[in-house]
Amino acid sequence: MKPVEFGHGLPRELPLLNPGAPLWQRVPTRDDDGRPLTDFMMLVPRLREQPQSHIATTLRNIQSVLEEYRDVVFADFNLPINVLWVSLKRRPGIALEVAAPIRSRVPQAVLVAHKPDF
């Protein structure tokens, strides 16, 4: 299976599974005004092993959350590795603001983050 790309504008219908260039080549790093973007990654363990109907429902749930935020610039779900990547316009707290409702709709989704050294 190939990555699912929600892409800029986040289409209303479930995206097709399309082959794509590596994520590092497709992810935007700056918005239209040249300001740097921020991003986050979520893991949805074992999603690719689920029935197609469950996968489709999960992707629709994620997409419906992303459509609620104008700050979302890019989103990609890589089904072979069960990873969601989201790029956003930068503002304080935006990553957690978007990740929390995804986690609410898809409880098995886990935000990938580093543990800071204090």
Side-chain angles (χ1 to χ4, degrees):
M1 298 185 110
K2 303 297 181 189
V4 173
E5 184 175 335
F6 294 107
H8 189 71
L10 302 171
R12 294 266 178 230
E13 55 209 44
L14 187 66
L16 299 173
L17 297 175
N18 294 319
L23 197 56
W24 65 268
Q25 291 178 342
R26 295 182 289 127
V27 174
T29 57
R30 299 197 173 270
D31 67 14
D32 292 337
D33 299 324
R35 291 185 292 262
L37 299 172
T38 189
D39 44 51
F40 68 88
M41 184 171 59
M42 294 185 87
L43 177 65
V44 184
R46 296 180 288 283
L47 181 61
R48 72 173 174 263
E49 300 165 6
Q50 301 301 315
Q52 188 63 38
S53 60
H54 179 77
I55 293 170
T57 299
T58 300
L59 294 178
R60 275 194 294 274
N61 285 337
I62 292 169
Q63 186 169 349
S64 69
V65 169
L66 296 176
E67 288 173 346
E68 295 175 17
Y69 293 90
R70 299 181 78 94
D71 296 311
V72 175
V73 174
F74 176 87
D76 178 87
F77 195 93
N78 187 320
L79 194 54
I81 60 173
N82 301 315
V83 169
L84 171 67
W85 182 277
V86 180
S87 294
L88 308 150
K89 292 181 182 177
R90 188 178 293 248
R91 69 177 168 83
I94 187 63
L96 291 178
E97 183 181 324
V98 175
I102 291 173
R103 177 104 163 90
S104 177
R105 287 248 181 108
V106 182
Q108 65 272 29
V110 179
L111 184 62
V112 177
H114 74 283
K115 184 175 180 178
D117 296 327
F118 289 105

